[in-house]
């Protein structure tokens, strides 16, 4: 049986770009949008057109440029936002309006000073209005993570009736545990009349480091879209990281889920976004961090040199990384030293290696790392 497809909704240019210091001009956004299209994402959330003339312009230009992906614009449940988004998306081959409103008790009381019934009325009115412009309407129930499931099901049912094609269930505050978020999606699948007419979407924030786990719990329980960003950038602790969810599904065939992402472009796309936004990728970041395929302890290095699979569950080539790195530090062993020495032209026999290793340790204890340039000096100091 073929794998079921999970759509990838990329919000690097909207939720990701909300990060202080990550603002991009239209030109850089176009470069990233083009790359996301090439990467194979299903939806590009290009911006929030009513938020500023600059964002309107970017969404308009991205709509003209993108060939394959759906282009989406965010709105509040406000008529003018929706009208402006529809206008900005008018050139898109596949336009989507993403509208919504807070549904948790906290949002209803403190943000809107409203009631549950009034929130449903506003949700339905905004979906109905958006539907007068485009066919594809995604509705977000903001703070769904902390929203009572029975009320959330009522909201979902009402907006499906009004024409919503995708239901976004955001864990806006990154509060849910994976079991809890998965159970929420399952509850909606089982209790919302008409749920087969819409796709459930996971939009998880990373405040407790659970965004990826929650998104996977969501798709395991029936969601078929994940909202994510390159490098996991986004509000506060960020969003679900695109590269992580894509590779989890790919590396775990028993999930029977997959995406259309060309994973070989992941590393380069990560660098492109990081450089454009001047937002460094933490070295230990899963899949795309500088150390994701670097081995520095002697025990691991010995294993990887014998067979990569002893300490790697992914092939670096599959995500666009040229090769695994054997990093030389004072924790490295002879196998790693021999391997790196050979790469720079020194083929050492056992006796020579023993001597060079002693000279290596002296220098390695003084330096954080031994580079290729240091190796000839170390060999020379060993007097072999
Ligand atoms: O986190 C969130 O709830 C959002 C919505 C606006 C979709 O980003
Ligand atoms: Zn968000």
């Amino acid at each position: 049986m073929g794998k079921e497809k999970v759509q990838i909704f990329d919000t690097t240019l909207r939720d990701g770009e909300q990060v202080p210091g990550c603002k991009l001009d239209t030109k850089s956004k176009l470069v990233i949008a083009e790359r996301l299209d090439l990467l194979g994402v299903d939806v590009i959330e290009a911006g929030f057109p009513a938020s500023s003339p600059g964002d309107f312009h970017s969404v308009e230009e991205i709509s003209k440029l993108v060939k394959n992906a759906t282009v989406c614009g965010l709105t509040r449940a406000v008529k003018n936002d929706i009208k402006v988004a529809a206008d900005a998306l008018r050139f898109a081959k596949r336009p989507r309006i993403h509208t919504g409103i807070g549904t948790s008790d906290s949002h209803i009381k403190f943000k809107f000073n409203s009631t549950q019934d009034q929130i449903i009325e506003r949700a339905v009115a905004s979906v109905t209005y958006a539907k007068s412009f485009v066919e594809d309407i995604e509705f977000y129930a903001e703070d769904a993570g902390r929203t009572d499931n029975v009320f959330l099901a009522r909201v979902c049912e009402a907006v499906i009736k009004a024409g919503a094609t995708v239901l976004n269930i955001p864990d806006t505050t990154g509060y849910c545990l994976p079991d809890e978020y998965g159970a929420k999606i399952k509850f909606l699948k089982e209790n919302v009349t008409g749920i087969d007419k819409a796709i459930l979407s996971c939009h998880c924030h990373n405040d407790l480091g659970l965004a990826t786990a929650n998104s996977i719990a969501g798709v395991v329980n029936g969601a078929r879209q994940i909202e994510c960003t390159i490098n996991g950038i986004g509000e506060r602790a960020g969003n679900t990281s695109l590269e992580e969810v894509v590779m989890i599904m790919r590396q775990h065939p028993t999930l029977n889920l997959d995406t259309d992402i060309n994973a070989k472009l992941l590393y380069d796309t990560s660098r492109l976004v990081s450089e454009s936004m001047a937002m460094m990728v933490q070295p230990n970041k899963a899949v795309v961090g500088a150390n994701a395929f670097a081995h520095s302890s002697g025990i691991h290095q010995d294993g990887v040199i014998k067979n990569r699979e002893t300490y790697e569950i992914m092939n670096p080539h599959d995500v666009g990384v040229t090769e695994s790195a054997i990093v030389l530090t004072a924790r490295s062993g002879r196998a790693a030293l021999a391997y790196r020495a050979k790469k720079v032209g020194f083929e050492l026999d056992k006796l020579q290696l023993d001597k060079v290793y002693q000279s290596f340790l002296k220098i390695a204890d003084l330096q954080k790392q031994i580079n290729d340039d240091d190796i000839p000096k170390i060999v020379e100091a060993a007097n072999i």
Side-chain angles (χ1 to χ4, degrees):
M1 204 181 76
K3 292 190 177 182
E4 284 195 44
K5 180 175 166 179
V6 172
Q7 303 208 0
I8 293 295
F9 175 116
D10 182 279
T11 183
T12 304
L13 296 176
R14 199 279 296 170
D15 222 329
E17 205 236 9
Q18 283 172 212
V19 176
C22 283
K23 202 182 157 336
L24 297 173
D25 58 20
T26 301
K27 210 167 138 214
S28 314
K29 284 190 188 177
L30 286 169
V31 173
I32 292 178
E34 197 165 30
R35 175 65 66 86
L36 292 172
D37 205 21
L38 198 66
L39 183 66
V41 308
D42 298 279
V43 186
I44 296 173
E45 187 163 51
F48 179 178
S51 66
S52 75
D55 223 31
F56 179 94
H57 179 62
S58 296
V59 175
E60 202 177 32
E61 293 304 309
I62 291 170
S63 297
K64 289 180 196 164
L65 177 82
V66 168
K67 292 192 177 73
N68 305 305
T70 293
V71 180
C72 175
L74 184 78
T75 83
R76 295 167 295 178
V78 169
K79 260 190 149 181
N80 186 56
D81 279 20
I82 295 170
K83 193 177 172 333
V84 172
D87 197 16
L89 291 166
R90 69 194 180 287
F91 298 112
K93 288 197 179 71
R94 294 179 191 80
R96 175 182 294 179
I97 293 177
H98 189 191
T99 189
I101 194 162
T103 52
S104 64
D105 288 347
S106 151
H107 280 222
I108 295 175
K109 184 169 169 206
F110 300 118
K111 267 179 73 174
F112 303 113
N113 187 23
S114 186
T115 64
Q116 288 189 339
D117 286 345
Q118 285 169 350
I119 290 295
I120 292 189
E121 252 174 59
R122 276 186 71 179
V124 168
S126 55
V127 170
T128 308
Y129 186 57
K131 199 81 181 174
S132 70
F133 297 102
V134 299
E135 232 346 272
D136 191 5
I137 309 297
E138 174 164 340
F139 176 81
Y140 63 87
E142 198 181 7
D143 205 13
R146 293 187 299 169
T147 299
D148 168 63
N149 286 349
V150 174
F151 176 60
L152 189 59
R154 275 183 62 206
V155 176
C156 290
E157 213 163 289
V159 296
I160 290 174
K161 272 198 198 125
T165 44
V166 182
L167 302 177
N168 178 6
I169 310 301
D171 183 20
T172 306
T173 57
Y175 180 70
C176 287
L177 293 169
D179 282 355
E180 194 182 356
Y181 188 76
K184 192 175 278 290
I185 297 293
K186 189 166 189 282
F187 182 87
L188 296 175
K189 272 291 249 193
E190 291 173 353
N191 292 282
V192 173
T193 309
I195 194 70
D196 295 342
K197 294 196 198 107
I199 291 174
L200 280 164
S201 180
C202 311
H203 178 116
C204 298
H205 279 268
N206 205 30
D207 298 66
L208 292 172
L210 290 171
T212 293
N214 285 344
S215 297
I216 294 297
V219 291
V220 164
N221 283 282
R224 284 294 173 267
Q225 180 176 277
I226 293 180
E227 310 199 359
C228 45
T229 59
I230 301 294
N231 302 331
I233 58 164
E235 281 276 339
R236 309 182 306 282
N239 287 61
T240 300
S241 136
L242 182 148
E243 53 280 1
E244 291 173 15
V245 288
V246 165
M247 291 315 290
I248 288 170
M249 287 184 262
R250 208 142 287 175
Q251 298 306 110
H252 283 276
T254 52
L255 291 176
N256 208 31
L257 299 168
D258 205 359
T259 67
D260 284 346
I261 296 297
N262 176 359
K264 285 196 174 0
L265 299 180
L266 284 174
Y267 182 75
D268 278 357
T269 308
S270 159
R271 296 297 128 173
L272 172 70
V273 169
S274 164
E275 280 157 26
S276 311
M277 291 186 167
M279 179 86 162
M280 100 184 250
V281 179
Q282 71 191 68
N284 58 327
K285 169 79 182 61
V287 185
V288 292
N291 292 347
F293 298 96
H295 306 273
S296 59
S297 92
I299 297 171
H300 290 207
Q301 291 175 327
D302 183 48
V304 170
I305 291 167
K306 286 175 176 148
N307 185 324
R308 191 189 56 75
E309 287 180 18
T310 52
Y311 288 95
E312 283 182 357
I313 53 98
M314 273 179 278
N315 188 330
H317 293 187
D318 291 348
V319 298
V321 173
T322 334
E323 58 176 356
S324 312
I326 299 291
V327 181
L328 290 179
T329 71
R331 302 292 150 260
S332 301
R334 285 172 176 73
L337 178 61
Y339 173 85
R340 284 278 302 275
K342 190 174 173 191
K343 282 201 158 226
V344 291
F346 297 98
E347 189 108 36
L348 305 169
D349 64 27
K350 192 173 172 316
L351 223 65
Q352 289 171 323
L353 180 61
D354 277 345
K355 284 191 180 165
V356 175
Y357 187 62
Q358 297 314 316
S359 125
F360 160 78
L361 284 180
K362 282 188 201 135
I363 300 184
D365 262 338
L366 303 174
Q367 289 181 204
K368 280 194 197 300
Q369 207 172 299
I370 300 292
N371 300 313
D372 282 351
D373 295 355
D374 299 315
I375 294 175
K377 286 178 254 164
I378 292 171
V379 173
E380 200 179 317
N383 273 326
I384 53 173

